[in-house]
Amino acid sequence: MANPTQPNVGFTPERESATPEKNPIPPPRNFVPSPPGFPPPKLPSQQDQASSRSVKTPNVVSPANGVTTGSSVPHLSTPPGPPVFTSPVRPAAVPFRTSPASPQPLAFSSVSSLPTSTSSSPLQFSNGSFELQHQVSDSIDDNVPVGESSFVLFSARKVLKQKKQANVPSLGFGALVSPGREVSMGPQVIQRDPHRCQSCGAYANIYCNILLGSGQWQCVICRKLNGSDGEYIAHSKEDLRRFLELSSTMFDYAQNENKRPGFVPVSDSRMSAPIVLVIDECLDEPHLHHLQSSLHAFVDSLPPTTRLGIVLYGRTVSVYDLSEESMASADVLPGEKSPSQESLKALIYGTGIYLSPMHASLAVAHSIFSSLRAYKLNIPEASRDRCLGTAVEVALAIIQGPSADLSRGVVKRSGGNSRIIVCAGGPNTYGPGSVPHSFSHPNYPYREKTAIKWMENLGREAHRHNTIIDVLCAGTCPVRVPILHPLAKASGGVFVLHDDFGEAFGVNLQRASARSAGSHGLLELRTSDNIVITQVIGPGEESHVDTHETFKNDTALYIQMLSVEETQSFSLSMETEGDIKSDFVFFQFAIQYSNVYQADVSRVITVRLPTVDSISAYLESVQDEVASVLIAKRTLLRAINHSDAIDMRTTIDERIKDIALKFGSQLPKSKLHSFPKELALLPELLFHLRRGPLLGSIIGHEDERSVLRNLFLNASFDLSLRMVAPRCLMHREGGTFEELPAYDLAMQSDAAVVLDHGTDVFIWLGAELAADEGRSAAALAACRTLAEELTECRFPAPRILAFKEGSSQARYFVSRLIPAHKDPPYEQEARFPQLRSLTSEQRTKLKASFVHFDDPSFCEWMRSLKVVPPQPS
């Protein structure tokens, strides 16, 4: 995390330097694997076949989004991406559920589901009087997909054995890890110390070989033999199923002997960690009116046990006393410098109550918000004095309270950390961490650099005190993103821009306070068989943990997490240092964190992937959507400014050409290469990336593009995929929706269309439909309900915009669709099969509605690269 102005930065382990995009994955570390304790077992051929059953499944509308499917294959509870086009097109008669549907955790095989037949047991190895039995190949239930979990998604379900084939940088291999996913509910819990490899530190898991007679187990990472203090001694492998770590790919170790006081493992006994609102009081009347409405709704949504504090800032800092019921009363501190210890002590030890549970202070909070007044002086928004830095310092002091030690023993609410939520309408221009009002100030570059460093240090100070700072900005006044962003980043919080303080701001205010978060997160990454992690992108920093006194050959990569939240993920790039000899490779991810009760938890996820020699088998196992998100994150990491973003579009072009050259085939008597049919969806996803808001020219202001970029680099797979490629849903009669490719051919005048692009959701009403007032009102209501359901758990909450065909705002919608109207009819029908259902008159009307411009279609773009686009699968 080298550059403080870029909060969400990737890093390469062992201080590796970045390499040109021609080879986007940096060179691997020099690494010599420890010799195994004994040779890896040779598994029967049917096991390899069973493990190779992972094939691509067509994207269907997820049950999490309100549609039930008849498939018995378990799917991740994530919104699907742009569909794999099938013929005939999926019927539109499957309605979305009207009630919200929350994603469900992936079901892991239960102990009782493990097969008991000894005839299917793997080879047994003699070791004196003991027998070594492999616990995975025949023990794990078929319902657990190989290489899949709701916490870890790999770009491919298989790994190539040959180093030269595996390390093609244009396609790459990697994984998306979501350490905080479902952190509030969690998987199975083990309340004892884990068994760990004494050599490399890996955890015992479902894939270990067990010596039944002695209870010894073989590590899957380094192949060393370890003792279990006799716990794993058993008469048969069925007896070992009572150990969760030997029957599930994911589990939590929770320490009962919590050294922190106040641990109560009952949800109703939780007290809330405090939330302090830090509010800009330099707002004009329209913005203030919207902000007041959002604040009133926010406090009404808080649980009665939540402790709230309210701080206002302008030229001074006002800390409101929540014990005054009859009036809005505040203590005022100067804002031109950091508060002294004496002034803070006088404030905290005074008679006022600055943090109070909502059940005792709801009426007071409402009266405070109603008393806010608009800015009266005739000064431009950007030139008004705002001492935001001082206000955050005061809020942090209030949270720590009279004794910082006491707060560590409090049983905290879901969310773990205390929170400061800054509601800002302009830049910090007064006091510590401020910049001059004008960019033309002769000392502005130095002041900006100093302010960035000060804000970053304040964020780190908050993180040390288990406090997250979220900065929610709104309005038309530039807030100087490079200065405020490090404050949120260093504390583990988020930075979000809004058009105004209205609906989207209010929703994000509520979701920011309610989202789950653990603290003291440390992510351990271990891989087997010469596979090395070459780059990490996400909300954390490489941590140098010295474990060699305990584990002599620990080669794990440690990442210090700034917070542990469901809405974030880490992107890992990997490559092999040599040819792989074994039939399987293993990956283990261990997340240590403090949960909402301040109990120490170690979450362990172990993944096994089969290895193959066949390039075709490998390409069949590639998950296009995961691969596209990993490629996008690596690309956006380098797109620091608009000029870089333009350069990165060229690297997308080169990447497509290289994949076609390395994995495709050359057409006879031609210089054209065909793109591999196994990766049919990948180029279209990258085309969306190239022309969308992340790399394209849709977003005009650099601050907005910077915030979007940093949000994307940290985002979960669900949100990342939607930010790369929009999801298009057409409204049908009866309140149903049909999912279509995100092409401009969906702009049919008698239809309503919902386009979900991650941070924005657009509702487009065709002109013919809009002319019918009754039908358009019903369609608009159904589309808005769908948009709210699709995004009900998303953070940040997107803005939802609705407009009619031909309106000025419709350009936001049109610019995010692939312009396919210029393609020949046969290509249009192949990639947008819904056209076949239109009459000739409807198709003529649709064709006449388009305004021709220079943007190439997907097929035109591919052919310009001398690559034949893959046929829709």
Side-chain angles (χ1 to χ4, degrees):
M1 305 281 184
N3 189 345
T5 65
Q6 299 300 328
N8 306 311
V9 187
F11 58 85
T12 53
E14 303 295 328
R15 302 279 188 263
E16 290 178 317
S17 59
T19 58
E21 180 59 26
K22 286 279 186 179
N23 184 13
I25 301 180
R29 297 175 291 187
N30 292 326
F31 171 73
V32 181
S34 1
F38 42 82
K42 182 178 180 182
L43 304 175
S45 60
Q46 65 265 29
Q47 294 167 11
D48 187 69
Q49 294 167 6
S51 301
S52 302
R53 288 180 199 150
S54 300
V55 294
K56 291 187 192 176
T57 57
N59 287 323
V60 295
V61 182
S62 167
N65 287 332
V67 170
T68 55
T69 64
S71 173
S72 61
V73 181
H75 292 280
L76 299 182
S77 55
T78 58
V84 175
F85 310 137
T86 56
S87 182
V89 71
R90 182 180 59 78
V94 183
F96 283 87
R97 265 199 307 232
T98 54
S99 59
S102 300
Q104 297 300 314
L106 189 68
F108 290 90
S109 61
S110 63
V111 173
S112 60
S113 67
L114 299 177
T116 56
S117 172
T118 56
S119 62
S120 63
S121 297
L123 299 179
Q124 299 179 0
F125 293 84
S126 162
N127 186 4
S129 60
F130 308 122
E131 288 182 332
L132 176 66
Q133 297 201 4
H134 198 280
Q135 281 293 304
V136 166
S137 311
D138 286 354
S139 295
I140 193 166
D141 188 84
D142 286 340
N143 288 331
V144 181
V146 174
E148 285 194 3
S149 125
S150 59
F151 290 80
V152 183
L153 295 170
F154 280 86
S155 60
R157 296 188 178 101
K158 297 177 182 177
V159 178
L160 281 167
K161 289 186 175 182
Q162 301 297 317
K163 172 185 174 181
K164 185 176 180 180
Q165 297 173 345
N167 293 344
V168 174
S170 54
L171 182 57
F173 175 73
L176 284 167
V177 183
S178 301
R181 191 179 181 91
E182 298 154 10
V183 73
S184 56
M185 59 183 73
Q188 298 99 323
V189 177
I190 304 172
Q191 295 187 343
R192 57 172 171 79
D193 290 334
H195 290 296
R196 302 188 64 176
C197 176
Q198 296 304 303
S199 176
C200 71
Y203 293 76
N205 59 82
I206 189 173
Y207 300 113
C208 288
N209 301 315
I210 307 292
L211 283 169
L212 299 179
S214 66
Q216 291 176 295
W217 57 279
Q218 186 189 26
C219 176
V220 297
I221 302 297
C222 69
R223 304 281 175 19
K224 295 287 187 182
L225 199 62
N226 297 273
S228 65
D229 297 327
E231 277 196 283
Y232 292 164
I233 295 176
H235 294 292
S236 66
K237 62 182 179 182
E238 285 77 18
D239 295 338
L240 294 173
R241 295 173 191 159
R242 60 194 173 92
F243 295 101
L244 283 176
E245 69 268 32
L246 302 183
S247 60
S248 175
T249 57
M250 178 183 65
F251 45 85
D252 281 358
Y253 286 102
Q255 298 298 320
N256 264 345
E257 298 79 12
N258 197 323
K259 296 177 182 178
R260 300 185 185 92
F263 173 68
V264 182
V266 181
S267 59
D268 292 340
S269 301
R270 293 182 296 186
M271 289 176 59
S272 289
I275 298 172
V276 178
L277 294 174
V278 177
I279 303 168
D280 185 350
E281 64 177 0
C282 300
L283 303 179
D284 292 329
E285 185 65 43
H287 289 315
L288 178 63
H289 179 71
H290 283 137
L291 177 60
Q292 285 175 312
S293 298
S294 295
L295 292 173
H296 284 303
F298 170 69
V299 292
D300 284 336
S301 72
L302 292 176
T305 57
T306 300
R307 291 181 294 150
L308 181 71
I310 300 173
V311 174
L312 263 65
Y313 69 92
R315 191 176 177 83
T316 59
V317 178
S318 302
V319 186
Y320 278 86
D321 183 358
L322 301 178
S323 64
E324 291 283 352
E325 298 183 6
S326 57
M327 66 183 74
S329 173
D331 292 291
V332 179
L333 285 78
E336 76 272 8
K337 60 182 179 180
S338 296
S340 64
Q341 289 299 318
E342 290 73 19
S343 60
L344 288 178
K345 189 174 293 186
L347 180 74
I348 294 170
Y349 285 94
T351 58
I353 297 177
Y354 307 110
L355 286 175
S356 177
M358 290 311 304
H359 65 77
S361 56
L362 180 60
V364 182
H366 280 304
S367 67
I368 291 172
F369 299 147
S370 299
S371 70
L372 301 182
R373 294 293 178 263
Y375 192 80
K376 298 299 184 183
L377 300 180
N378 187 23
I379 299 175
E381 281 187 296
S383 300
R384 297 170 187 173
D385 289 336
R386 294 178 173 90
C387 58
L388 186 152
T390 307
V392 172
E393 285 185 300
V394 172
L396 192 56
I398 292 172
I399 288 174
Q400 293 177 49
S403 173
D405 294 331
L406 290 179
S407 61
R408 297 176 186 170
V410 173
V411 180
K412 295 185 178 180
R413 65 170 181 88
S414 178
N417 295 306
S418 305
R419 287 194 185 276
I420 295 173
I421 303 178
V422 179
C423 305
N428 181 35
T429 54
Y430 190 67
S434 64
V435 289
H437 301 116
S438 172
F439 288 104
S440 60
H441 189 283
N443 211 23
Y444 190 89
Y446 173 77
R447 290 280 299 275
E448 181 184 53
K449 184 178 179 180
T450 305
I452 290 171
K453 192 65 180 176
W454 190 90
M455 286 292 182
E456 184 179 20
N457 289 336
L458 181 58
R460 292 185 182 278
E461 178 68 16
H463 182 254
R464 280 193 293 271
H465 290 93
N466 299 333
T467 301
I468 289 175
I469 302 173
D470 294 325
V471 181
L472 307 184
C473 303
T476 56
C477 179
V479 294
R480 317 281 172 89
V481 171
I483 289 92
L484 294 184
H485 215 311
L487 175 65
K489 173 261 174 179
S491 68
V494 297
F495 186 101
V496 187
L497 288 177
H498 304 82
D499 292 335
D500 53 46
F501 290 97
E503 181 183 4
F505 179 90
V507 172
N508 276 326
L509 195 59
Q510 296 179 29
R511 292 184 185 176
S513 67
R515 72 187 195 274
S516 297
S519 58
H520 305 94
L522 184 68
L523 176 60
E524 304 175 28
L525 308 172
R526 292 181 173 86
T527 59
S528 69
D529 295 273
N530 285 353
I531 293 179
V532 293
I533 297 168
T534 55
Q535 187 181 55
V536 179
I537 302 172
E541 301 172 344
E542 185 173 6
S543 178
H544 299 281
V545 179
D546 186 7
T547 61
H548 288 88
E549 288 188 10
T550 309
F551 312 116
K552 295 181 180 179
N553 299 301
D554 186 5
T555 58
L557 175 62
Y558 290 87
I559 300 171
Q560 185 70 50
M561 301 170 61
L562 297 174
S563 62
V564 186
E565 300 186 12
E566 298 183 28
T567 56
Q568 61 188 207
S569 71
F570 288 88
S571 168
L572 312 179
S573 298
M574 307 181 195
E575 60 182 32
T576 61
E577 288 194 322
D579 294 345
I580 299 174
K581 307 297 183 185
S582 53
D583 294 329
F584 296 93
V585 289
F586 298 90
F587 306 84
Q588 191 169 85
F589 310 87
I591 306 101
Q592 299 178 27
Y593 67 99
S594 296
N595 71 359
V596 296
Y597 303 110
Q598 300 298 290
D600 294 327
V601 176
S602 296
R603 172 166 295 169
V604 181
I605 306 155
T606 308
V607 178
R608 181 189 69 169
L609 296 181
T611 58
V612 293
D613 289 305
S614 165
I615 292 181
S616 177
Y618 169 72
L619 293 178
E620 283 286 353
S621 77
V622 172
Q623 303 188 78
D624 292 17
E625 292 173 345
V626 180
S628 67
V629 169
L630 288 167
I631 290 171
K633 288 185 183 261
R634 290 198 296 267
T635 304
L636 263 293
L637 181 66
R638 301 184 60 193
I640 298 172
N641 52 46
H642 180 65
S643 175
D644 295 332
I646 295 174
D647 294 339
M648 290 303 104
R649 296 176 208 166
T650 306
T651 67
I652 296 293
D653 299 346
E654 295 301 320
R655 193 180 293 275
I656 291 292
K657 290 193 285 187
D658 193 63
I659 292 174
L661 181 66
K662 297 288 191 352
F663 298 111
S665 58
Q666 187 171 357
L667 299 185
K669 299 180 181 179
S670 171
K671 293 183 179 180
L672 298 179
H673 282 78
S674 61
F675 200 83
K677 64 181 186 299
E678 297 89 348
L679 308 178
L681 188 57
L682 182 63
E684 191 169 302
L685 292 170
L686 296 182
F687 185 56
H688 275 297
L689 169 67
R690 189 186 188 280
R691 65 190 306 275
L694 292 171
L695 288 180
S697 302
I698 294 176
I699 293 178
H701 199 281
E702 185 59 27
D703 277 0
E704 191 176 352
R705 201 198 67 81
S706 172
V707 171
L708 198 67
R709 167 186 177 267
N710 286 289
L711 172 65
F712 175 75
L713 290 177
N714 285 352
S716 64
F717 169 71
D718 308 31
L719 179 55
S720 297
L721 179 60
R722 288 284 69 81
M723 291 175 73
V724 169
R727 185 182 183 198
C728 183
L729 297 148
M730 181 178 285
H731 178 258
R732 294 301 190 189
E733 296 299 330
T736 61
F737 287 86
E738 180 181 4
E739 185 164 3
L740 299 173
Y743 284 26
D744 61 359
L745 299 173
M747 297 166 57
Q748 299 166 20
S749 288
D750 61 343
V753 180
V754 176
L755 191 74
D756 179 5
H757 211 166
T759 55
D760 297 280
V761 178
F762 304 103
I763 300 172
W764 181 88
L765 298 178
E768 187 178 321
L769 175 66
D772 187 332
E773 189 173 332
R775 286 178 60 220
S776 65
L780 180 60
C783 290
R784 181 166 286 276
T785 299
L786 172 65
E788 291 172 353
E789 287 184 7
L790 291 176
T791 62
E792 65 178 343
C793 297
R794 191 174 297 173
F795 182 78
R799 60 176 180 174
I800 300 176
L801 299 177
F803 34 73
K804 299 177 182 178
E805 179 181 5
S807 66
S808 61
Q809 281 190 313
R811 69 185 188 278
Y812 296 122
F813 177 80
V814 177
S815 63
R816 295 161 193 258
L817 297 172
I818 291 178
H821 62 273
K822 294 188 295 182
D823 289 337
Y826 71 89
E827 280 192 346
Q828 291 179 347
E829 289 188 6
R831 299 187 180 278
F832 200 87
Q834 188 262 356
L835 281 181
R836 298 170 189 156
S837 65
L838 302 183
T839 65
S840 58
E841 181 183 352
Q842 288 173 320
R843 293 187 68 161
T844 302
K845 187 185 298 184
L846 176 63
K847 184 177 180 180
S849 68
F850 292 113
V851 177
H852 291 273
F853 46 87
D854 294 334
D855 276 9
S857 70
F858 168 67
C859 293
E860 288 175 334
W861 171 67
M862 290 288 284
R863 292 194 181 96
S864 72
L865 304 177
K866 302 291 191 295
V867 176
V868 178
Q871 291 298 315
S873 55

